[in-house]
Amino acid sequence: MDLPLLDPKIDIVFKMLLTDDDSESILVALLNAIIQSSQPIIRAKVLNPQLPKRFIDDKGTILDILAELDTGEQVNIEMQMANQGETRSRALYHWARIYGSQLKRGKANSYRDLKPVHSIFILNYLEFKELDPRLHHTFHIAHADHPHLVLPDLRLHFIELDFVMKLNNMEFLKKMKLALWAKFLLNPADTSLWEEDMADAELRKAREKLEKISASAEKREIARMREKAALDWNSSHEYWKEQGRQEGFEHGRDAGRQEGFEHGRDAGRQE
C-alpha cells in the first residue's frame, strides 16, 4: 500500500525537499517563480543543508534554508505553518542579520561588495489582512517622493498560500508558476497539477522527490516528531494567550468592583 505523502509545509520536510544534493534544480525553479528577476537564476548553493538533531523537537525554532545564487545574492527561505507573531519584524531582522553577516563571513571586504539579500516567508496563514488578498507580497526600500528610485539590496517576499485555496481559475494557474507551486505545497496529491497541459518538469521532480522522502521510515519519523513539536508549541502558545486574557478579564472585573465600591462609599458620605 502506498504511504500518504508527507506534508511539504512541515519545515523539516520542506528543507529535505529542497536541500538534498539532487534538489538544486527544484530550488532554482521555486526561487525563479518567487523572485522573477529579469535574469533567471541558474544556480543556488545551499549554505546550511544540515538538519541538526537538536532542532527536530525544538518547539520554538523554525528551520530555514540559506542559499547563495550564481549572482552572489543570498536568499533565506522560511516555511511557517502557523502564525507565531511579529512576522514582519522577524523578516526584517533575518534580512539584516544575513545582510550584515556577509562582512563577518568574508564574503564582502567593504560595503561596496555587499550583495542583495532576499528574505522569503512562505505562510500558511493570512498576514496582510488589511490588503486585498494576493499570493505574493513584495517589499523593498524606495524613495518616499520618487518611488522609482529604489535601494535594491533589500527584498522581502511573503507568500500567502491561503490565496490559492479559493482559486479555481486554471488558466491563471497555468500562467503563474508560483500559484502552481503554492497548490503543490498545499496539496501535493492534487491530481490536477499533473494533467498534461499543467505539467511542469521541476514540479514533477518535486513530487517525485517528496514521494521518495515519504517512503523513508526514518524521515517519516523525523517529520512526525517535528510536527508534534510544532503542535505542542502552538498549543502551549494558545494556552498562555488564553490565560493572559482570563487574568486580564478577572483583574479588570475586580478593579471595576473596587472602583464601584469606592465610588458608592464616597457618594454615601456626601449625602
Side-chain angles (χ1 to χ4, degrees):
M1 183 178 76
D2 291 338
L3 291 169
L5 293 172
L6 290 171
D7 187 347
K9 298 189 299 303
I10 300 172
D11 60 359
I12 202 164
V13 177
F14 183 72
K15 188 161 184 174
M16 289 175 187
L17 185 63
L18 296 175
T19 62
D20 276 358
D21 292 339
D22 60 349
S23 296
E24 184 180 11
S25 64
I26 302 172
L27 176 59
V28 166
L30 176 60
L31 291 176
N32 274 320
I34 295 171
I35 295 173
Q36 299 177 33
S37 172
S38 57
Q39 296 295 322
I41 298 162
I42 299 172
R43 293 187 307 278
K45 179 184 178 183
V46 177
L47 302 179
N48 63 341
Q50 304 82 7
L51 296 171
K53 289 184 179 179
R54 69 183 184 278
F55 288 154
I56 291 174
D57 58 357
D58 187 332
K59 300 174 177 63
T61 301
I62 294 174
L63 293 171
D64 66 343
I65 298 171
L66 179 62
E68 183 175 306
L69 308 182
D70 49 281
T71 59
E73 297 176 29
Q74 305 228 331
V75 176
N76 188 63
I77 314 172
E78 279 196 16
M79 169 64 77
Q80 294 203 6
M81 280 279 277
N83 189 350
Q84 296 190 5
E86 305 304 331
T87 299
R88 304 174 201 191
S89 297
R90 288 181 63 248
L92 280 169
Y93 173 78
H94 286 300
W95 174 88
R97 177 177 56 82
I98 295 166
Y99 188 69
S101 71
Q102 293 179 70
L103 290 170
K104 296 175 187 174
R105 295 200 310 263
K107 287 287 183 185
N109 296 315
S110 69
Y111 297 125
R112 182 179 57 189
D113 298 327
L114 290 168
K115 297 291 185 181
V117 171
H118 297 263
S119 192
I120 299 170
F121 281 68
I122 301 177
L123 310 175
N124 194 38
Y125 57 89
L126 293 177
E127 170 64 25
F128 298 97
K129 296 177 183 177
E130 67 272 35
L131 301 177
D132 290 336
R134 63 187 307 170
L135 176 60
H136 186 188
H137 301 272
T138 308
F139 294 83
H140 56 253
I141 301 174
H143 192 292
D145 299 320
H146 304 279
H148 63 280
L149 182 58
V150 174
L151 300 181
D153 284 11
L154 180 143
R155 283 287 188 274
L156 302 180
H157 304 263
F158 299 90
I159 314 302
E160 294 185 329
L161 297 177
D162 272 10
F163 175 77
V164 297
M165 290 179 70
K166 307 176 186 73
L167 195 63
N168 295 314
N169 187 333
M170 301 308 283
E171 290 302 317
F172 175 82
L173 288 171
K174 291 176 198 175
K175 292 175 185 175
M176 189 176 183
K177 289 237 174 135
L178 182 55
L180 288 175
W181 279 99
K183 281 186 76 70
F184 168 72
L185 292 170
L186 284 167
N187 182 13
D190 184 353
T191 56
S192 69
L193 287 168
W194 319 115
E195 293 172 5
E196 181 133 2
D197 61 341
M198 294 284 287
D200 176 273
E202 292 306 325
L203 205 54
R204 240 180 227 289
K205 187 174 177 181
R207 161 70 186 246
E208 291 166 0
K209 181 73 179 177
L210 185 60
E211 288 175 347
K212 185 178 177 182
I213 292 168
S214 302
S216 165
E218 180 185 4
K219 290 179 179 178
R220 290 189 76 84
E221 178 60 14
I222 290 172
R224 186 196 67 77
M225 291 170 62
R226 185 65 181 162
E227 189 173 28
K228 180 181 181 299
L231 183 60
D232 288 348
W233 189 95
N234 292 333
S235 298
S236 175
H237 184 63
E238 288 301 317
Y239 171 78
W240 288 113
K241 273 173 60 178
E242 184 58 35
Q243 286 294 105
R245 288 193 199 102
Q246 188 63 27
E247 287 175 11
F249 170 76
E250 291 175 359
H251 177 74
R253 182 184 60 193
D254 293 343
R257 284 175 179 166
Q258 183 65 24
E259 185 179 332
F261 171 75
E262 291 174 359
H263 178 74
R265 181 185 60 192
D266 292 343
R269 284 174 179 168
Q270 289 173 8
E271 290 176 2

